[in-house]
Amino acid sequence: MLKTKLKQKKTNRDVLLEEKNAFASAARIKYYDIVLDHGRGAMVTDIEGNDYIDLLASASSTNTGHAHPRVVQAIQEQAAKMIQYTPAYFANSQAARLAPRLAELAPISGPVEMVWGNSGSDANDAIIKFARAYTGRQYIISFTGAYHGSTYGSMSLSGVSLNMTRKMGPMLPGVVKVPFPSPWERLTNESDEAFVERMFHQFMLPFETYLPVDEVAAILIEPIQGDGGIVKTPPAYMQKVYEFAKANGILFAVDEVNQGMGRTGKWWSIQHFGIEPDLMSVGKSLASGMPLSAMIGRKEILESLGAPANVYTTAGNPVTTAAANATLDVIQNEHLLERSQRLGKKAAEFFKLEQQKYPFVGDVRMYGLDGGIDIIDPVTGKGDTEATTKLMYRIFELGAIIISLRGSILRFQPPLVITEKELDQAFAMIDQAFAELAAGKLAAPANAEELGW
C-alpha cells in the first residue's frame, strides 16, 4: 500500500537522468541509483516508494535518525520566528544557548570557547587558523587515511582519496602527513608493542630529518578514523603522540565530525583514550544533519584571533542551532549513548558469528554502533573489492543501505535510534547476502567499477 501511494510518474532513473545534465560528477560518490524522498527513524524511502533500512545514517550525520519529531518541531518553530540573521554581526537566542552547552560537553578542562562553521570542513579550517595564530608556527601534522573535508584547508589535511587532490594542486602549504597506524600496516605476527614502536618511529622521521619541531603548530588526528575504514588509533600510539605534542609546545587537535555526538557510545571518540585535546572539530550530527559545525577549544587559543578571522554569513544561524539544541536534548533524554553501547555489542556479536561462518569476513571493528567489516580474499588475506561490491549491492537489493570504504570494507553506522527489530531485519539481509556470496550466487553490478571511493 505504501509503495502504491508514493509511486510517482517519474522513476529514480528518470530523475537522475534529468539531474545529470546539470550536476557535476565530482560532487557525488556513486553507489546506488535512487532518489530519496523522505525518512523516519532508521528508515528512508525513495521516490518510487521503496523502503530501506539506513545503515549509513547519512554518513553519520543523522545519529538521532531521520525527521526526529523533536528536531523537526524545533526547526519548524524557529523557522516561523526567524530563519536567518547573520551571526557574523549579531547573536541569536538559539546559538547563544547552544554555545555554552557545547563548551560544557567538550572533554576539555578549564575555560572553553568555540566558533561556528557550516560544515566539518570549516571547523577543521578553523583548527589551522587558530593553531597557527596561537603558536606563531606554521606546520600542521595530519595522517594518511584521514578525511577532514573538502575546503582547500581541510582537503590539504586529508589523505584518503587521490581524487581529493588530483588536478587541484598546489595544496595548502605547511601540511605534513604521517602514516596512520592502521591494521593493514601491521606485519605478520607483529606484537602490539612492536607495531606501535615501528609506527611511532615513522611518525618521528620528519622531525629527525627535515621538520623542525619548534615550527609545528598542531597535530590533528581522528581518534577513530571514519572514511579511512572505521579504525581506532592504538591507545599506546595515541599516548606517545600526545606526550610528544605536550613536550614540544604542539597543540593536540582531534576531528570528531564523523565519530562524535554519541556515535561510539560516548559523546566524543577521544573519550575512549582518557586524553584531553586542545582543539576539536564537530559537525555532521551536531544539528542532526543541518549545516552546522563548531570548533571548540581552550579559551586562550580561541582568543588568539580577532574578528573577522572566522565569521560566516550563515554559520550558527537560528534554525540550525535550534536543531542542534534539540539534538542534544534527544541524545540526552533518549539515552542514545547507552543505546549505542548496547546495540553496538549486539552488532559486534552478529558480525563475529558471521566471521566464524564465512572465511571472507576478515577483521571486525565495532565501537558502539560504529563498525568496519573487512571483506577479504580467504586465500591471500587481502581486501577483496569485487566481493565487497557484490555484497553491498545485494544488501541494497534486499532493502538496506550500506556502502564500502577503502574498496573492501563494509561501513556500518545506522542511526542510534534504530529499533532492535530493524537491526535484526538488517542482520538477516546481511547474512543472506553473505550466504549467497559463499554459494557463488552473486554477480557484480554492470557498473561495479564506478561504485565507491
Side-chain angles (χ1 to χ4, degrees):
M1 180 180 296
L2 181 61
K3 185 177 178 68
T4 302
K5 180 180 179 181
L6 293 174
K7 191 171 183 180
Q8 300 183 9
K9 292 181 180 179
K10 291 184 178 180
T11 66
N12 287 317
R13 288 190 177 276
D14 291 336
V15 174
L16 288 170
L17 283 172
E18 292 176 357
E19 182 197 49
K20 186 177 181 180
N21 294 325
F23 191 72
S25 58
R28 180 176 297 143
I29 301 168
K30 189 172 181 59
Y31 280 103
Y32 311 118
D33 291 333
I34 55 175
V35 179
L36 296 177
D37 182 75
H38 62 272
R40 186 71 172 224
M43 301 296 298
V44 292
T45 304
D46 67 19
I47 62 169
E48 296 178 11
N50 301 306
D51 296 323
Y52 304 94
I53 299 173
D54 185 5
L55 302 180
L56 178 59
S58 184
S60 194
S61 66
T62 55
N63 289 359
T64 59
H66 301 284
H68 192 288
R70 179 67 188 88
V71 178
V72 170
Q73 180 185 9
I75 292 170
Q76 291 174 332
E77 290 179 354
Q78 180 56 51
K81 294 167 61 178
M82 175 178 281
I83 293 176
Q84 160 69 1
Y85 204 100
T86 177
Y89 296 129
F90 305 110
N92 66 74
S93 57
Q94 291 288 351
R97 175 174 173 243
L98 178 60
R101 296 183 74 185
L102 284 177
E104 185 177 352
L105 281 174
I108 304 170
S109 57
V112 173
E113 289 186 348
M114 51 144 300
V115 291
W116 300 120
N118 292 297
S119 70
S121 301
D122 297 344
N124 285 318
D125 279 3
I127 285 177
I128 299 173
K129 294 177 185 180
F130 285 92
R132 285 177 168 176
Y134 177 74
T135 62
R137 304 173 178 185
Q138 64 163 311
Y139 290 106
I140 309 290
I141 307 298
S142 63
F143 290 80
T144 57
Y147 179 80
H148 295 296
S150 289
T151 55
Y152 253 89
S154 61
M155 75 182 192
S156 297
L157 295 168
S158 301
V160 72
S161 171
L162 289 174
N163 278 352
M164 291 187 69
T165 56
R166 195 187 306 275
K167 303 179 182 179
M168 291 180 283
M171 295 293 102
L172 185 73
V175 174
V176 177
K177 295 186 180 69
V178 294
F180 183 79
S182 67
W184 308 285
E185 299 295 329
R186 194 162 185 157
L187 303 177
T188 303
N189 298 322
E190 189 173 30
S191 68
D192 292 346
E193 183 178 2
F195 175 60
V196 166
E197 288 297 328
R198 182 168 61 82
M199 296 307 298
F200 187 68
H201 174 69
Q202 292 187 34
F203 171 85
M204 289 297 299
L205 277 178
F207 302 102
E208 297 167 352
T209 54
Y210 67 89
L211 181 62
V213 69
D214 58 356
E215 294 183 27
V216 177
I219 296 168
L220 175 62
I221 190 170
E222 293 173 277
I224 298 175
Q225 278 199 346
D227 294 310
I230 317 293
V231 181
K232 183 179 180 180
T233 306
Y237 177 90
M238 181 74 92
Q239 188 65 38
K240 284 179 175 290
V241 171
Y242 180 76
E243 290 174 357
F244 174 80
K246 294 291 103 178
N248 290 281
I250 300 171
L251 299 182
F252 184 79
V254 295
D255 182 332
E256 293 282 352
V257 177
N258 187 311
Q259 300 291 303
M261 299 302 294
R263 170 52 59 188
T264 68
K266 294 182 181 291
W267 274 107
W268 316 110
S269 61
I270 191 64
Q271 291 176 312
H272 292 277
F273 297 85
I275 286 173
E276 288 192 11
D278 297 302
L279 301 168
M280 59 186 286
S281 53
V282 186
K284 287 187 183 287
S285 278
L286 172 58
S288 291
M290 293 285 281
L292 178 68
S293 66
M295 196 280 280
I296 311 170
R298 292 194 287 114
K299 180 183 178 75
E300 62 187 276
I301 302 172
L302 271 78
E303 287 298 320
S304 62
L305 287 172
N310 200 81
V311 298
Y312 302 91
T313 302
T314 58
N317 76 53
V319 174
T320 60
T321 51
N325 276 313
T327 297
L328 297 186
D329 292 340
V330 169
I331 292 174
Q332 291 169 331
N333 296 340
E334 298 187 11
H335 308 289
L336 295 190
L337 304 186
E338 295 83 356
R339 185 175 181 79
S340 178
Q341 294 170 22
R342 179 170 60 84
L343 295 184
K345 289 179 181 178
K346 180 173 182 173
E349 290 170 0
F350 165 76
F351 284 110
K352 289 294 184 182
L353 287 174
E354 297 296 282
Q355 188 182 50
Q356 295 171 19
K357 290 166 59 177
Y358 303 108
F360 55 77
V361 179
D363 189 34
V364 173
R365 299 172 297 281
M366 197 70 61
Y367 320 104
L369 274 177
D370 180 49
I373 299 91
D374 293 352
I375 304 301
I376 63 171
D377 180 331
V379 176
T380 66
K382 302 294 185 181
D384 191 334
T385 299
E386 182 180 354
T388 306
T389 301
K390 289 178 180 179
L391 285 170
M392 71 175 188
Y393 204 84
R394 180 57 177 149
I395 293 167
F396 165 71
E397 291 177 330
L398 292 171
I401 290 178
I402 195 167
I403 68 167
S404 61
L405 296 170
R406 298 178 71 112
S408 59
I409 300 169
L410 292 177
R411 177 178 183 169
F412 184 82
Q413 291 183 309
L416 305 184
V417 297
I418 190 171
T419 67
E420 292 202 49
K421 180 179 179 181
E422 290 165 340
L423 204 55
D424 288 336
Q425 290 173 334
F427 290 158
M429 295 173 192
I430 293 170
D431 182 67
Q432 180 178 336
F434 283 3
E436 290 175 356
L437 179 67
K441 295 180 180 180
L442 296 187
N447 63 339
E449 71 284 350
E450 299 176 356
L451 306 182
W453 282 74

